[in-house]
Amino acid sequence: EHDKAVSDYTQYLLANKTNAQAFVWRGVSLNKLNKYNDALQDFNTAIAINPNSGECYYNRSLSYQGLGNTTQAQNDVQKAIQLGYTLPK
């Protein structure tokens, strides 16, 4: 129920604009809905709040991949690994 999740996270973020993890979770749901540009904005915000989160970079790579930007997707995967993120199998 990614539509509902996006709505719930949007409501939550109105009062909690500095919660990087909430931006990540909403971005993940947006990716699942193929709303890659919107997800990209959420991951960019999450990275601005928490620039050392490999999870943010990995999830942003999925948005870039969905948009067909494989170079940026690969760069973000490398950054995620560099920050210690373990890629899902």
Side-chain angles (χ1 to χ4, degrees):
E1 295 186 42
H2 292 289
D3 283 322
K4 186 175 182 318
V6 168
S7 177
D8 290 347
Y9 287 123
T10 299
Q11 286 298 100
Y12 175 80
L13 286 165
L14 290 174
N16 300 281
K17 295 178 182 173
T18 60
N19 186 324
Q21 192 62 52
F23 280 103
V24 170
W25 289 331
R26 185 172 72 176
V28 167
S29 286
L30 288 165
N31 268 346
K32 296 290 186 179
L33 295 168
N34 299 324
K35 296 182 178 180
Y36 302 115
N37 283 314
D38 293 336
L40 194 59
Q41 290 177 17
D42 276 358
F43 297 128
N44 286 338
T45 301
I47 289 167
I49 295 167
N50 186 3
N52 295 315
S53 171
E55 178 186 17
C56 294
Y57 285 95
Y58 171 74
N59 283 295
R60 187 173 74 174
S61 78
L62 300 177
S63 297
Y64 281 127
Q65 187 68 37
L67 292 169
N69 187 340
T70 55
T71 300
Q72 191 58 52
Q74 291 171 349
N75 289 342
D76 274 1
V77 167
Q78 291 304 314
K79 181 70 173 180
I81 292 168
Q82 183 181 53
L83 291 169
Y85 183 75
T86 301
L87 300 179
K89 294 183 179 182

